[in-house]
Structure formats: structure tokens, C-alpha cells
Amino acid sequence: MSSRFEKKSKLLKLILITGGVVLVALVLQAVILNFINTRNFNRTSQVLLDQVSNVIEKNKASEDDLIDSLKEDYMVRAKAVAYIVDARPEVEDDVDELRKIATLISVDEVHLFNTDGEIYAGTNPEYYGYNFDSGEQMAYFKPMLDDKTLTMCQDVTPNTSEGKNMMYAITWNDDGTKMIQVGNILQYAYA
């Protein structure tokens, strides 16, 4: 009977040892899998972050290119209005005609400035009398007073009178007797 008990005891020890080895193997496997999964997660996260970063950089570059293109377009529009006003001087004092011109070239506002930088005509009579000293937004264009070869376009910024997000472009007419500015309301301001 003792041999039977010894066999059972050995079998029980063997089962316990085998169970212990299996348990240690399972714990070791879990640790290894956790390590591998964490490493893979970190690598995947880094790849995704790099991809997102690249997309953001490309979008920023595209946005900058679009803004530059928009500025060029607005400067061309300002020059077109200057040409029209020079060719048809009678429109200078005709708000309705200036509004038609603004609509024709797809801008919201047209302003005519004298050589001192003061608005004296345009599509918005309520702005007459504003000048380059009337506010920070308008002061941006002060260099125009010293250099009649300049054509400038401002980033989107709140305008002086009403705080509307606007983009303005301004140019001198051919004989340097007035500045013509065009402006468009833009729905969001660029950071």
C-alpha cells in the first residue's frame, strides 16, 4: 500500500511541478506578449503621429500658398479698380457706380484715399474721413504714403470701423494722385 501511496505522491508532485512550470510559462508568455504589444503600440503611435504631423505641415503649406494667391488676386483687383477709376473719373463721386464696380470684381468694399491717406470716396460713405492713423488695422498701410510704387495686401484682420474680419489690398493709381483699396469680408481669421 505504501508503494501505491508513494506513486500517488510522486504523481501529485509531478502534477504540481508540471502545473507550476505551465503557470510560470503562461506568466512569462503574458509578460512577453505585453512587452511586444506595448512596443508595437508605441511604434504604431509614433508612425501615426508622424503621419498626422506631415499632413498638418502640408496643410499649413497649402494654406500659406492659398493665402499668398488670394493676396495676389486682391492686389490685381485693386489695380483693376484703379484703372477703371482713372479711365472713368466720374465714378469717383458715385457711390452706386463704385458698388457696381465692387460687385463686378467680386469685392465687398472699395475705398479711395487721398495722398494723405484719408478715405474720401468709396462704397461705404460711413468710412469717409478714416485715415491711416484711425486704428491699428489701417496703420498697416502707412508705408504707402512714402512709396507710390507699393501695392500692399493685409492678412485677414478685424477692420477699424466695425471689427469685421477683412482682407484689404491697396495700390496707387497710375499718376499717384490717389490710392484705391479693395476689401472682402472673410469668414475666419488666420492665426
Side-chain angles (χ1 to χ4, degrees):
M1 180 111 173
S2 97
S3 109
R4 199 176 231 209
F5 179 72
E6 285 177 14
K7 283 183 182 182
K8 281 186 178 183
S9 177
K10 285 182 183 181
L11 183 62
L12 184 61
K13 283 182 186 179
L14 184 62
I15 290 172
L16 286 175
I17 291 172
T18 305
V21 169
V22 168
L23 183 63
V24 168
L26 288 173
V27 169
L28 187 59
Q29 179 184 10
V31 169
I32 291 170
L33 285 174
N34 186 44
F35 172 77
I36 290 171
N37 286 338
T38 300
R39 189 180 66 194
N40 287 343
F41 174 79
N42 289 338
R43 285 182 183 167
T44 302
S45 295
Q46 188 60 48
V47 167
L48 290 173
L49 285 173
D50 290 344
Q51 288 174 347
V52 168
S53 179
N54 287 337
V55 167
I56 289 171
E57 286 175 22
K58 286 178 184 177
N59 286 348
K60 179 65 176 142
S62 293
E63 180 182 359
D64 291 345
D65 290 345
L66 288 171
I67 291 170
D68 289 344
S69 177
L70 185 61
K71 285 181 174 183
E72 287 295 324
D73 181 57
Y74 283 2
M75 288 189 285
V76 168
R77 292 176 194 207
K79 289 175 183 179
V81 175
Y83 179 79
I84 292 168
V85 171
D86 280 350
R88 296 185 49 215
E90 68 275 8
V91 303
E92 189 171 317
D93 298 319
D94 187 342
V95 173
D96 289 333
E97 195 62 25
L98 287 170
R99 286 179 179 157
K100 287 178 188 175
I101 293 168
T103 300
L104 178 70
I105 64 163
S106 299
V107 295
D108 295 314
E109 300 175 2
V110 171
H111 307 294
L112 280 63
F113 289 76
N114 63 23
T115 56
D116 294 325
E118 181 178 313
I119 299 174
Y120 69 91
T123 56
N124 300 68
E126 66 273 20
Y127 297 170
Y128 295 1
Y130 279 86
N131 62 52
F132 293 154
D133 291 320
S134 294
E136 183 180 341
Q137 176 267 318
M138 292 186 71
Y140 174 84
F141 296 107
K142 271 189 172 181
M144 298 292 295
L145 298 175
D146 297 323
D147 186 351
K148 292 186 178 187
T149 65
L150 283 179
T151 296
M152 298 176 70
C153 189
Q154 190 175 38
D155 286 332
V156 176
T157 189
N159 73 350
T160 297
S161 64
E162 300 175 57
K164 296 183 290 189
N165 285 333
M166 301 285 294
M167 182 177 275
Y168 288 106
I170 191 168
T171 192
W172 282 95
N173 68 337
D174 279 343
D175 61 5
T177 58
K178 64 179 91 34
M179 290 171 274
I180 292 78
Q181 182 182 63
V182 298
N184 256 349
I185 298 171
L186 295 176
Q187 294 304 315
Y188 87 101
Y190 300 96

